């Protein structure tokens, strides 16, 4: 059902390993946890479900965090995906690069996300979350564009090596946004 909404779920074992090995994820609803999981294993949205129907969503792309929302429709799977879709709409698809122990830059995204070798991503300074007067996140503005990287090599369905093309090299703080033709 998630694929019908354009989402790729991170396998439970991969997510469990990442949560166990990421100190920032002692609180899975924190922005720090979302940022860490954005780099690896590539989570854009971190959805925490407590008590079976209270959902907290944190968006690593925009640094938005929505307080707990109760799922009440009786069709919780569909309701959750609709809620996630609404929350994701405030920012474009954006990812974070990471440097692995081999010294290369990687992106936790690949074929499963529709990426192909040769695709280019714009490197942006951190963006700005815009909130309504009541504090509700409503949109996100990308930061200044400071460079470009290209997908050099794909590994499996969800990992890509990055090749710097122009400007600054990406750091874990930069947002990488796909350049549409």
């Amino acid at each position: 059902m998630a694929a019908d909404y354009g989402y790729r779920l991170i396998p439970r074992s991969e997510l469990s390993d990442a949560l166990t090995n990421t100190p920032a994820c002692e609180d899975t609803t924190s922005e720090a946890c979302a940022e860490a999981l954005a780099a690896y294993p590539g989570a854009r949205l971190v959805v925490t479900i407590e008590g079976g129907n209270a959902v907290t969503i944190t968006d690593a792309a925009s640094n938005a965090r929505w307080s707990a929302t109760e799922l009440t429709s009786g069709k919780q799977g569909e309701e959750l995906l609709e809620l996630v879709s609404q929350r994701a709409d405030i920012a474009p698809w954006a990812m974070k690069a990471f440097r692995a122990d081999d010294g290369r830059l990687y992106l936790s995204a690949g074929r499963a996300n529709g990426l192909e070798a040769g695709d280019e991503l714009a490197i942006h300074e951190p963006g700005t979350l815009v909130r309504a007067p009541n504090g509700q996140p409503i949109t996100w503005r990308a930061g200044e564009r400071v460079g470009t990287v290209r997908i050099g090599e794909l590994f499996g369905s969800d990992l890509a090596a990055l090749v710097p093309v122009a400007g600054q090299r990406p750091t874990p703080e930069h947002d990488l946004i796909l350049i549409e033709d």
Side-chain angles (χ1 to χ4, degrees):
M1 189 178 344
D4 295 339
Y5 285 80
Y7 296 113
R8 180 184 67 84
L9 297 178
I10 296 171
R12 182 180 300 241
S13 61
E14 193 175 328
L15 183 58
S16 179
D17 288 347
L19 289 169
T20 300
N21 294 306
T22 307
C25 290
E26 288 179 15
D27 174 6
T28 59
T29 65
S30 72
E31 289 177 17
C33 180
E35 287 180 19
L37 295 178
Y40 186 83
R44 156 75 193 275
L45 297 170
V46 177
V47 179
T48 304
I49 302 173
E50 296 177 21
N53 63 350
V55 177
T56 302
I57 299 173
T58 307
D59 182 352
S62 67
N63 289 324
R65 180 182 181 279
W66 289 269
S67 56
T69 301
E70 296 289 327
L71 301 178
T72 59
S73 73
K75 295 181 178 181
Q76 292 177 325
E78 288 179 30
E79 187 178 1
L80 174 60
L81 287 169
E82 284 293 330
L83 181 63
V84 166
S85 183
Q86 291 168 6
R87 301 301 194 226
D89 280 348
I90 74 164
W93 181 84
M95 295 297 293
K96 307 282 187 181
F98 68 94
R99 186 174 306 282
D101 60 2
D102 65 359
R104 294 175 67 186
L105 291 169
Y106 291 91
L107 184 68
S108 290
R111 288 182 189 92
N113 304 89
L115 296 177
E116 298 176 10
D119 285 348
E120 292 189 344
L121 297 107
I123 304 167
H124 288 266
E125 291 292 344
T128 303
L129 179 64
V130 178
R131 295 181 180 275
N134 67 0
Q136 181 75 14
I138 55 173
T139 195
W140 177 83
R141 292 191 326 257
E144 177 185 355
R145 183 172 173 177
V146 295
T148 304
V149 291
R150 178 178 299 123
I151 303 293
E153 222 177 323
L154 294 163
F155 304 94
S157 65
D158 58 1
L159 186 67
L162 300 174
V163 178
V165 173
Q168 294 182 20
R169 296 178 70 102
T171 67
E173 291 76 33
H174 286 122
D175 297 309
L176 303 181
I177 300 173
L178 185 64
I179 299 171
E180 304 287 342
D181 292 333

